[in-house]
Amino acid sequence: MKINGNEIRPGNVITHKNGLWLAVKTQAVKPGKGPAYAQVELKNLIDGTKLNERFRASETVERVRLEQKDHQYLYAEGDMLTFMDTDTYDQIQIPRELLEDRAAFLQDGMKVTVESHEGRAIGVALPDQVTLAVVEADPVVKGQTAASSYKPAMLENGVRVMVPPFVEAGERVVVDTNEITYVKRAE
């Protein structure tokens, strides 16, 4: 399936330079001069090499159709993550490095989508947002409320995110698992 270069999202698998590549990070760049483009960090799914590419909106890339099955996250054992197929109850193990930084957002019993190509698991799609508790947040600096400002906070899974000044330790917040950013306070 062909998609425009600016539609590439983290977790997408594309064919590029005669290989299968996983989009690890994407950033939309709008320079003052010239057309906008997407700066994409790609990881080769076969040998693990990384590559940074720019894709203009006018360029098209081939997005690989992957088999997608619903799984449930069970546990981590060393560098391997164990998932269970929700239909057949078969368990599979996937290397933690396949999820990169997003592995920290896995929670016991979480429903995920495991993507495979030709019978080999090559990706795990997490829910777009998860709710986590803030365990540590810097105090607000006086006079910092005039402009919109953010402060660093540590979440219960060990990930640091920037949060608004009103968020305190002990509160629960919603975090985007793709961009690893604060979304809102949890209700």
Side-chain angles (χ1 to χ4, degrees):
M1 169 169 117
K2 295 247 183 226
I3 60 170
N4 291 335
N6 62 345
E7 295 173 350
I8 299 171
R9 299 285 174 257
N12 287 161
V13 177
I14 62 170
T15 53
H16 182 65
K17 295 185 178 178
N18 297 326
L20 278 179
W21 296 85
L22 172 70
V24 179
K25 292 181 186 171
T26 62
Q27 179 182 5
V29 180
K30 296 175 186 153
K33 192 174 188 180
Y37 60 89
Q39 182 74 34
V40 182
E41 183 180 318
L42 299 169
K43 180 179 179 183
N44 190 306
L45 291 172
I46 308 305
D47 60 14
T49 57
K50 288 196 174 181
L51 174 71
N52 277 313
E53 283 289 333
R54 290 181 178 184
F55 294 99
R56 287 191 204 90
S58 59
E59 292 179 62
T60 58
V61 294
E62 186 68 31
R63 182 171 175 202
V64 178
R65 276 272 179 226
L66 301 174
E67 299 168 39
Q68 297 183 332
K69 287 200 83 171
D70 290 334
H71 282 69
Q72 183 177 5
Y73 172 66
L74 297 178
Y75 59 90
E77 188 176 317
D79 288 340
M80 300 302 281
L81 303 170
T82 304
F83 297 89
M84 179 183 65
D85 187 324
T86 55
D87 295 331
T88 64
Y89 302 110
D90 291 336
Q91 292 184 10
I92 60 168
Q93 288 193 319
I94 296 175
R96 180 185 294 270
E97 64 192 30
L98 199 61
L99 276 87
E100 304 252 325
D101 299 339
R102 298 177 310 134
F105 292 103
L106 284 172
Q107 298 169 348
D108 290 341
M110 178 183 275
K111 302 273 188 231
V112 299
T113 303
V114 174
E115 300 171 322
S116 56
H117 181 68
E118 297 174 357
R120 179 175 168 228
I122 58 170
V124 178
L126 299 179
D128 288 337
Q129 298 177 344
V130 294
T131 303
L132 295 164
V134 175
V135 293
E136 183 183 304
D138 290 355
V140 178
V141 177
K142 194 168 181 138
Q144 205 177 29
T145 57
S148 67
S149 58
Y150 285 81
K151 63 182 183 178
M154 178 73 76
L155 301 174
E156 63 184 287
N157 62 356
V159 175
R160 291 187 87 73
V161 295
M162 298 301 282
V163 298
F166 58 78
V167 175
E168 300 294 327
E171 289 189 57
R172 295 184 64 75
V173 295
V174 177
V175 179
D176 183 316
T177 58
N178 297 316
E179 303 293 324
I180 308 179
T181 55
Y182 167 87
V183 176
K184 63 180 182 178
R185 268 186 181 157
E187 267 112 71

